[in-house]
Amino acid sequence: MGLSFRGLAPGRERSTLLVVLGTCACLALVFAVPRLATLALRAVERPSDRGFALGAAAVAAAISAALVFGPLRARALSIDANVYLFEARALSHLHFGMPVPEPTQAFSGRFLFAGADGRLHGVFPPGFPLFLAPLVPLGAPMLAGPLVAALLVLAQCRLGRAFSTTPAEARAARLAVLVSLPSFARALETGDLLSHAFVAALGTFALALALEIDQGKGTPLHPLVLGLALGWAFSARLLDGLVIASLVLGFLAVRRAPLRSFALVALGAAPFVALLLGHQWVATGHLLRPTQAEHFARSDWPPTCHRLGFGTDVGCLVEHETERLSFGPDGYGPGDALRVVRERAAALPGDLFGFAPLGLLAFAAPLLRRDRRDLVLGAGALVFTLAYGLFYYGNAPVFGARHLFPLAPVLFVLAARALVATPRLLVTLPLAAALAAVPRWTFGVIAVRRLNADRVDLRKLVDEQGIARGIFVTADELSWIGAFDPWADGPDRILVRFDGSGLLELRRRRPELGVHSLLVNDVHDARVIPPPRPGLTLELERAWPSWVDPRASDRGSSTRRSAAASTRAGTRAWSCSRWSPARACRSPSRWRARGRTPSGSTASSGPTSGPSPCSSTVRRSSTSTDTRPRCRRG
């Protein structure tokens, strides 16, 4: 019941009062004039199933498009969305990674790492970028948001029909769709090119197909399509896809589906599993090593900090310092997992319904109706929630409990089914959700505009200038990640972020190219800058995180020693989370220079080894340079 008071938190009194008073007014009106409820229910029942689903999908797509082309300004907001866009651009050229111009130190970015094939790769699985890739050549990747919003509604409509055995339940399923439309969380999750909503659509569609197979309504191709949905979901989000597949296949096994169905499911999933394994092989050099594990082993500490489960090594010190410190000296344990689960579960009803007490209906449905189908659906949602306790990172600012967003269609359906026996209450549920969405949209749009204020539409700005040759520089790292595409730009048009020595060496390498600054508010500033003096400036900290490859150097061991970058007094410094005698961190960076190459460094200190005077060894060839800084205990 504590969830019901989330909307009463300090600072939300006015919005809570608006929702409560508005809902009471709707209830009073419906009970005072019963004919209004009757007319509303008839209006919901009048369209055909196909007509209602297509109409609702069009409304959902329009709402998502309003957010995309309004506050989001048709550009990706979060770093996750920009990395997905980076990977989609590579896939649109039939490659998993991007080639990187020399010198490579100019092209390091968060959630990017140098793959086993020498190209730059994103940390996420390839399933969702595969969905985005066809839109990239069209110049409209942000249209994926409205498309996913429409698919999400269509999947929920199909799930509602599969769960309905009476006209009253079918009516409730349609009203559940109306409840979902005003949700700000649904609009944001679809609008910002995030994979959670995409997996929600695939998982919901898969669940509906499994129910149809069990009910004998399916065609011979149903298991094959079910496998496609489960495989694509798994290749988009590994944990989500694994849990959803386990629940759906477990349901079919309990219902004693024929073995032929499972064989067809495996056949349908095979292409996406092969896609995932191929991506991991190319990016990490290992079929079964996830790209996120490879990235965080290089760029964070401890090397296994991003894994699922419990232990003192769980929790990344650089990426999620606050969360790691909150676990205490005993590390991430079951108690911490329950706290993270509780935080997500507390935020989710408010995220989806606008007002948390409305979301309690979803949890009450199995108790109120005592229907085995509701109980099974609720138990599946609980299993998914608990399974995500294996991942330590909780809610995100603005996006809320996004890791649980794949449950959204299920919770909307359950909430409406809880009121099947009380049509007058049921008809007020979409109205209450719409009222609750008003403050959510108000505060959400303000937050989105604030976060999006500095985003630069790099590709649009570069294309509008019509400049085929040049170095285009931006301080917006996230937009640079989403726009970086050497396959499309060629060797003479280079997008790079402003990073000091990397840009300096790039100008030395390509003195014939002019420098163009891409500034906030999509301002283009072209200046004549004299070429830098001959020399070489190599900053090891610029290798973090993409080019850092820390490993022990003695006896050929492959033990990882993670390195990271920190900011001190306005400059970046290369720091290693753990040093020990006779160890070295390898930082490969390709550049070319003539003559003698002096090197130097400042002394450093670490928490485990104390002050450590540093030296470096530089090995050069015609194609690459391997810089090995070595620190010893002082």
Side-chain angles (χ1 to χ4, degrees):
M1 291 300 294
L3 298 178
S4 63
F5 294 100
R6 184 166 180 84
L8 305 178
R12 299 181 181 175
E13 293 84 356
R14 292 183 179 181
S15 60
T16 302
L17 183 62
L18 169 66
V19 174
V20 172
L21 292 179
T23 303
C24 291
C26 292
L27 288 172
L29 185 61
V30 167
F31 279 93
V33 188
R35 183 169 175 77
L36 290 178
T38 303
L39 292 175
L41 292 174
R42 287 178 181 174
V44 171
E45 295 171 343
R46 186 173 295 117
S48 65
D49 286 341
R50 178 175 296 182
F52 178 85
L54 292 177
V59 172
I63 293 173
S64 180
L67 183 66
V68 168
F69 298 104
L72 283 174
R73 299 186 296 160
R75 55 200 72 184
L77 178 65
S78 63
I79 183 164
D80 292 26
N82 281 285
V83 174
Y84 279 126
L85 187 52
F86 171 92
E87 296 182 31
R89 293 190 188 280
L91 281 175
S92 70
H93 300 289
L94 303 181
H95 294 278
F96 287 119
M98 292 288 192
V100 183
E102 295 183 0
T104 56
Q105 66 169 326
F107 302 95
S108 181
R110 283 181 64 198
F111 289 6
L112 304 179
F113 69 97
D117 61 349
R119 292 174 178 155
L120 202 59
H121 290 263
V123 300
F124 297 120
F128 186 53
L130 179 66
F131 177 77
L132 300 177
L135 298 173
V136 171
L138 302 177
M142 296 302 291
L143 284 180
L147 286 176
V148 171
L151 292 175
L152 195 58
V153 166
L154 294 175
Q156 184 178 330
C157 287
R158 187 153 188 168
L159 176 64
R161 289 197 302 271
F163 252 86
S164 301
T165 57
T166 66
E169 290 180 346
R171 182 175 56 200
R174 291 190 175 190
L175 286 167
V177 173
L178 299 182
V179 171
S180 72
L181 293 179
S183 170
F184 178 76
R186 183 196 57 78
L188 184 60
E189 290 293 334
T190 58
D192 191 35
L193 301 186
L194 296 174
S195 59
H196 307 85
F198 180 66
V199 170
L202 290 173
T204 305
F205 186 59
L207 180 56
L209 290 174
L211 290 170
E212 292 172 3
I213 293 172
D214 178 61
Q215 296 164 1
K217 300 178 181 178
T219 67
L221 292 179
H222 261 56
L224 184 66
V225 179
L226 173 60
L228 289 171
L230 293 177
W232 205 343
F234 179 67
S235 69
R237 297 190 63 81
L238 302 186
L239 179 58
D240 302 49
L242 181 62
V243 175
I244 292 171
S246 299
L247 292 172
V248 171
L249 296 180
F251 169 76
L252 290 178
V254 170
R255 302 295 293 177
R256 298 183 179 179
L259 292 178
R260 178 178 177 274
S261 296
F262 290 98
L264 288 175
V265 168
L267 181 63
F272 294 100
V273 175
L275 173 73
L276 175 66
L277 295 178
H279 179 232
Q280 292 179 171
W281 172 261
V282 170
T284 71
H286 303 276
L287 278 176
L288 302 181
R289 184 169 177 80
T291 48
Q292 292 193 27
E294 180 74 10
H295 168 74
F296 285 100
R298 299 181 185 189
S299 66
D300 220 306
W301 180 262
T304 55
C305 66
H306 207 257
R307 70 175 179 87
L308 300 176
F310 309 122
T312 56
D313 62 321
V314 175
C316 294
L317 183 63
V318 177
E319 187 66 29
H320 303 130
E321 180 180 9
T322 302
E323 285 75 14
R324 177 171 177 81
L325 294 178
S326 71
F327 303 150
D330 57 341
Y332 186 67
D336 301 298
L338 288 176
R339 173 174 57 82
V340 172
V341 167
R342 185 172 63 250
E343 291 173 356
R344 293 193 186 117
L348 186 63
D351 292 344
L352 297 182
F353 294 86
F355 187 49
L358 298 178
L360 287 178
L361 291 171
F363 301 96
L367 301 177
L368 294 176
R369 287 173 46 80
R370 297 183 181 179
D371 189 311
R372 186 175 61 180
R373 294 169 299 166
D374 297 337
L375 182 61
V376 170
L377 201 60
L382 179 62
V383 169
F384 188 94
T385 302
L386 293 177
Y388 244 106
L390 296 173
F391 182 54
Y392 69 91
Y393 184 64
N395 301 333
V398 182
F399 294 93
R402 61 182 179 179
H403 293 114
L404 299 185
F405 186 81
L407 297 177
V410 170
L411 297 183
F412 286 130
V413 168
L414 284 175
R417 288 175 66 86
L419 300 178
V420 166
T422 54
R424 293 185 187 179
L425 289 177
L426 179 60
V427 79
T428 62
L429 187 59
L431 299 175
L435 287 172
V438 172
R440 291 277 176 169
W441 272 87
T442 302
F443 299 137
V445 167
I446 292 174
V448 167
R449 289 189 184 278
R450 183 177 66 250
L451 293 175
N452 198 33
D454 295 335
R455 294 288 177 271
V456 181
D457 193 339
L458 300 180
R459 298 230 63 90
K460 179 181 177 182
L461 191 56
V462 170
D463 292 340
E464 285 179 347
Q465 300 303 317
I467 302 173
R469 291 170 52 86
I471 299 173
F472 296 85
V473 185
T474 180
D476 181 3
E477 180 183 9
L478 301 193
S479 295
W480 170 76
I481 291 173
F484 187 65
D485 191 352
W487 293 113
D489 290 330
D492 295 331
R493 190 164 75 166
I494 303 174
L495 290 181
V496 65
R497 65 189 184 93
F498 180 80
D499 77 336
S501 62
L503 177 59
L504 184 64
E505 284 306 308
L506 180 61
R507 290 174 57 212
R508 283 176 176 151
R509 178 89 168 103
R510 302 297 302 274
E512 77 279 9
L513 298 180
V515 178
H516 306 262
S517 296
L518 306 179
L519 308 175
V520 178
N521 298 322
D522 295 348
V523 175
H524 170 253
D525 182 18
R527 296 184 179 181
V528 178
I529 304 177
R533 295 180 178 179
L536 175 66
T537 305
L538 178 64
E539 293 180 292
L540 297 180
E541 60 268 27
R542 299 301 175 189
W544 184 89
S546 301
W547 306 104
V548 171
D549 188 12
R551 64 181 71 234
S553 60
D554 58 325
R555 298 186 306 277
S557 170
S558 61
T559 304
R560 302 271 180 183
R561 289 292 178 263
S562 287
S566 59
T567 302
R568 296 290 183 269
T571 59
R572 295 172 70 87
W574 197 48
S575 62
C576 278
S577 300
R578 181 177 177 181
W579 282 111
S580 59
R583 302 282 183 176
C585 285
R586 185 164 65 97
S587 179
S589 181
R590 297 194 304 270
W591 43 268
R592 298 175 184 174
R594 293 181 178 179
R596 193 164 165 266
T597 307
S599 63
S601 61
T602 58
S604 64
S605 63
T608 59
S609 300
S612 304
C614 294
S615 62
S616 63
T617 302
V618 180
R619 297 189 305 178
R620 295 192 302 160
S621 68
S622 59
T623 59
S624 66
T625 297
D626 185 6
T627 306
R628 292 177 177 268
R630 184 183 302 275
C631 295
R632 58 179 177 81
R633 292 191 183 187

